Amino acid sequence: MSIKHTLNLDQFRFHDRNRRLNESHVKKLASSIQRIGLKNPIIVTNTGVVLDGQHRLEAIKLINKTAEKPVRLPYIKKNMKISDIAEMNGHQVQWRITDWIHYHAKGGNENYILLQEAAEVFSPIHINSLSTFLHDNDTGFGAASRTVTEGRFVYKMTPQKEAILDKLQELAKVDSMWCSKSALMGIMRLMRDPNFNHSRLFHAIELNFESILKQSGSGNWMKHLARWYNKGLRQGKLNVNDLPSHH
């Protein structure tokens, strides 16, 4: 298919399922284009919907606001469907988990819509962390990135999970380490122990708050929190050595 060039950028439009624009990336891309030019054309449908290249389009728009000589945008029209957006863009490194969540939510997947709503409710806990914690998986493990990107994420909120998120949200107001993914995953690993009780965990955290230090990795968080959880207990202790090492 031939590459065409145009100054009429208003003929192109985005679809709700395009990933969200990163303004910082647009500015960096605009600077690069001004130095070395635009290497790759954008891809659009026959009706002008952008399938691939929304950041390139916005970068050219940004340049042309002040350029003495406007830059012509190269583009290729393809007879493709909106559903091809993810497949085309998925080959690019820039697509993040949040882009995929946005894509599936805009496509009407109720699980991803609920996940986005949970991210708003439990901010500042990141949606990436929530996608792992709130995935319904009979094995007790969270969702891997591939599960999320492929549209196989299944949302499941339980009273215990909600209580844990509420507590972490409160703690994060005092120290941001409590909204880290590794801290949440450390708790998730403790939840696999049949003796685990979330009320006991947060009671122990409150009693020993000043002694609990930021950890690197969910495994270290699991062991660190288990230490304070077990402190003073004669029965019902957590045995982290018997828990699976992955999540």
Side-chain angles (χ1 to χ4, degrees):
M1 295 183 179
S2 62
I3 298 176
K4 298 179 180 180
H5 294 77
T6 185
L7 290 174
N8 179 17
L9 306 184
D10 292 335
Q11 66 179 296
F12 306 119
R13 66 185 190 279
F14 295 154
H15 190 273
D16 286 344
R17 298 185 81 175
N18 284 111
R19 59 178 170 164
R20 292 167 178 165
L21 286 171
N22 183 320
E23 296 299 333
S24 175
H25 182 55
V26 170
K27 292 177 182 178
K28 291 178 181 177
L29 189 55
S31 177
S32 174
I33 292 171
Q34 287 177 312
R35 291 196 316 273
I36 62 176
L38 181 57
K39 301 297 183 182
N40 299 310
I42 69 169
I43 309 296
V44 300
T45 67
N46 289 330
T47 58
V49 177
V50 178
L51 292 172
D52 177 48
Q54 63 266 34
H55 285 90
R56 278 166 275 163
L57 173 58
E58 289 301 301
I60 295 296
K61 286 182 179 180
L62 181 61
I63 292 170
N64 287 353
K65 285 181 179 179
T66 57
E68 293 184 7
K69 183 179 180 180
V71 177
R72 297 169 68 84
L73 175 70
Y75 70 98
I76 296 175
K77 280 191 174 182
K78 287 191 174 184
N79 185 23
M80 300 178 73
K81 305 184 296 294
I82 297 302
S83 57
D84 295 318
I85 289 175
E87 184 175 350
M88 291 192 67
N89 287 277
H91 296 300
Q92 299 185 29
V93 175
Q94 290 89 347
W95 263 57
R96 302 159 296 178
I97 291 293
T98 49
D99 296 321
W100 286 104
I101 293 171
H102 171 76
Y103 171 80
H104 290 300
K106 284 297 183 181
N109 189 313
E110 185 69 19
N111 292 292
Y112 290 80
I113 294 172
L114 291 171
L115 176 59
Q116 287 185 325
E117 292 175 353
E120 294 180 6
V121 171
F122 296 107
S123 176
I125 302 172
H126 198 272
I127 196 168
N128 288 12
S129 306
L130 293 174
S131 69
T132 303
F133 188 65
L134 295 177
H135 178 56
D136 182 12
N137 192 321
D138 291 338
T139 65
F141 302 131
S145 297
R146 189 171 179 179
T147 300
V148 177
T149 60
E150 292 180 350
R152 295 185 288 111
F153 168 79
V154 179
Y155 179 92
K156 184 177 182 181
M157 178 70 79
T158 65
Q160 183 184 58
K161 287 182 178 181
E162 186 173 8
I164 289 171
L165 293 173
D166 279 334
K167 287 292 187 180
L168 288 176
Q169 191 178 43
E170 291 179 15
L171 292 172
K173 295 176 182 178
V174 181
D175 194 320
S176 61
M177 72 178 184
W178 292 105
C179 64
S180 68
K181 184 173 184 176
S182 56
L184 183 58
M185 294 306 98
I187 294 173
M188 187 173 176
R189 293 171 70 168
L190 290 177
M191 290 169 66
R192 300 171 198 157
D193 191 306
N195 290 323
F196 177 81
N197 181 287
H198 69 272
S199 297
R200 165 64 190 173
L201 172 65
F202 288 102
H203 178 66
I205 289 174
E206 291 173 7
L207 290 177
N208 303 281
F209 190 79
E210 297 299 326
S211 299
I212 298 177
L213 305 175
K214 183 177 181 179
Q215 303 294 306
S216 60
S218 61
N220 289 330
W221 267 110
M222 174 185 68
K223 294 174 182 177
H224 191 55
L225 292 176
R227 171 191 174 190
W228 300 108
Y229 183 104
N230 290 335
K231 184 179 179 182
L233 284 182
R234 292 185 177 181
Q235 295 181 336
K237 289 186 177 183
L238 303 181
N239 186 354
V240 296
N241 295 322
D242 289 341
L243 297 178
S245 61
H246 59 289
H247 61 270

